[in-house]
Amino acid sequence: MRDLARRIDAATPPGRDRALDALRALAILGVVLGHWLVTALVADSGSLRVESPLGRMPELTPVSWVFQTLAVFFLVGGLVAARGHAAARARGESHRRWIAARLGRLFRPVRPLLGVWLLASAVMLACGVPWQTLWTLGKLVLSPLWFLLVLAALTAATPLVARVHPLWPLAVVLHVDLVRFGLDGPGRLGWINLPAGWLVPYCLGALIARRGTPAKGAAWTLLLGGAAATGLLVAFAGYPGSMVGVPGAPVSNLNPPTLAAVTFGLAQCGAAVLLLGPLRRALRRPRAWAAVALLNLGALTVFLWHQTAMIGVTTGGLLTSHLLGRPPLPGLHTVPDGPVWVLARLGWLPLFAGALLACCAVFHPYERTHTARAPKPRPDRRTEARRA
């Protein structure tokens, strides 16, 4: 392990900002653990349905503040995309080629996921699995794709939005929510916030790429100002306290994003900027960097397959219990209604992680980036003539 860490450290380009990779890894881990902790597949009348412990135990709401880390991912995405696009322009690379390469890396790992689940759905239908169960499982598996679609759209728009100040999309979110909630406007108007809400951290990342890392004072302002604004919105404006969706709740902060989700994301971005320095120092150690680098190599695979891993363990446990004539297993497919469920769910996390590692071992090759061969330069005719 030590030799592997040293090889990874030695192979890393000197100019690579390791802290950005660490932030991306933390964001991915936050999403994965958050889904595993707040998503319960409950066996009910021969089918599976989704429940959340946040709906029955609102005291667990702070869990959503820790594990809802999407803003950090969009912050890093905007920063990396803006730098990459600027470097591509300096090389003389066209916008179309740059965008095609970026989108290819995003969507290449999606194909095996769709293929596996199309086959699995056909098998389950043939075996008589209820439509309700198929719908539940399909939503869980496909729900992460909204994130990739938004990220792909923002990436494709990088040449247009890289110089947009984040206050502009923030103003759009503010006015949309004012019309939607304050003036009883149509609910569908909120979908404008889907691109606008995530443009805020994305444009903030692009701004950092242009101007450099903000001073600590600016980062603290983002952190404290965003946290204070979120607290006020939740306490006095009727926004939900949970930063993730809760089944059955009248309003979700994520579906589509609300002003509270955006201000919360700004607080997270401030914290992320403050962490850059400590992370850069910590990642000078080869072992720490190796862990971050390995996770980043399979980040999309982890993101796309983590729900499948949870579903596999859950359905496998359900079938085993049924065959052995035992009751549903606590924390796996029982109602999340108390501390016993929480403790039991924590015990299942290592199995979820093991199943995810198995998925990554099989499907990670689809995420590998194949660098296109550069076209060979055309030989100079005058040089050829002289050689002749």
Side-chain angles (χ1 to χ4, degrees):
M1 183 63 70
R2 183 178 299 176
D3 291 340
L4 175 62
R6 287 176 178 173
R7 289 199 302 270
I8 293 174
D9 183 66
T12 303
R16 188 174 186 89
D17 192 341
R18 301 181 178 192
L20 295 181
D21 290 306
L23 288 178
R24 187 187 294 112
L26 289 172
I28 289 290
L29 289 176
V31 170
V32 170
L33 291 175
H35 282 162
W36 286 352
L37 289 171
V38 304
T39 304
L41 277 170
V42 178
D44 184 18
S45 302
S47 63
L48 293 174
R49 58 185 172 85
V50 173
E51 283 211 24
S52 172
L54 299 176
R56 294 175 178 265
M57 293 177 282
E59 63 273 15
L60 296 180
T61 295
V63 172
S64 69
W65 307 342
V66 177
F67 294 110
Q68 202 284 80
T69 51
L70 290 174
V72 176
F73 204 103
F74 280 105
L75 174 79
V76 175
L79 200 163
V80 172
R83 285 180 178 174
H85 182 254
R89 289 184 63 186
R91 295 192 302 267
E93 185 175 335
S94 67
H95 295 324
R96 180 178 298 180
R97 183 173 181 180
W98 179 82
I99 290 170
R102 300 282 298 188
L103 296 187
R105 288 197 293 270
L106 277 178
F107 288 112
R108 189 182 299 115
V110 176
R111 290 178 293 181
L113 178 76
L114 297 179
V116 166
W117 273 97
L118 281 174
L119 178 61
S121 298
V123 171
M124 285 188 284
L125 276 176
C127 294
V129 174
W131 272 102
Q132 295 88 340
T133 296
L134 285 178
W135 176 255
T136 297
L137 299 182
K139 285 180 64 178
L140 282 179
V141 170
L142 298 179
S143 60
L145 295 186
W146 76 261
F147 165 81
L148 280 189
L149 292 173
V150 174
L151 183 60
L154 297 185
T155 299
T158 297
L160 300 176
V161 304
R163 294 190 174 274
V164 173
H165 197 281
L167 286 178
W168 288 107
L170 178 62
V172 171
V173 175
L174 171 63
H175 284 85
V176 166
D177 273 19
L178 181 62
V179 172
R180 186 163 57 130
F181 298 128
L183 303 178
D184 293 326
R188 60 182 178 274
L189 190 66
W191 291 107
I192 296 175
N193 286 351
L194 187 59
W198 300 121
L199 259 176
V200 175
Y202 192 87
C203 290
L204 181 59
L207 183 66
I208 294 173
R210 294 198 310 271
R211 300 185 181 179
T213 304
K216 284 189 177 181
W220 277 108
T221 300
L222 274 176
L223 172 58
L224 299 179
T230 305
L232 291 173
L233 289 170
V234 171
F236 301 107
Y239 285 88
S242 172
M243 289 299 133
V244 299
V246 179
V251 177
S252 167
N253 275 320
L254 280 188
N255 192 29
T258 63
L259 181 61
V262 174
T263 56
F264 179 75
L266 287 174
Q268 288 183 315
C269 290
V273 171
L274 290 171
L275 282 174
L276 286 175
L279 285 172
R280 285 170 184 147
R281 292 189 292 272
L283 293 174
R284 292 171 186 165
R285 296 194 293 270
R287 287 190 177 184
W289 168 238
V292 170
L294 289 173
L295 178 55
N296 271 272
L297 285 173
L300 279 177
T301 306
V302 169
F303 180 76
L304 289 171
W305 289 91
H306 73 279
Q307 295 283 52
T308 299
M310 182 191 70
I311 290 170
V313 174
T314 303
T315 54
L318 184 62
L319 289 173
T320 302
S321 298
H322 179 72
L323 291 174
L324 297 178
R326 295 181 178 178
L329 297 171
L332 197 59
H333 28 72
T334 55
V335 176
D337 56 359
V340 173
W341 185 93
V342 175
L343 292 175
R345 173 51 63 105
L346 292 174
W348 288 108
L349 293 185
L351 273 74
F352 294 167
L356 180 56
L357 286 175
C359 291
C360 290
V362 175
F363 298 106
H364 173 251
Y366 291 91
E367 191 174 348
R368 292 175 184 168
T369 302
H370 300 282
T371 304
R373 293 181 180 178
K376 294 181 180 180
R378 295 181 179 179
D380 189 352
R381 293 181 180 177
R382 289 174 295 182
T383 303
E384 288 186 341
R386 283 195 295 268
R387 288 178 180 174

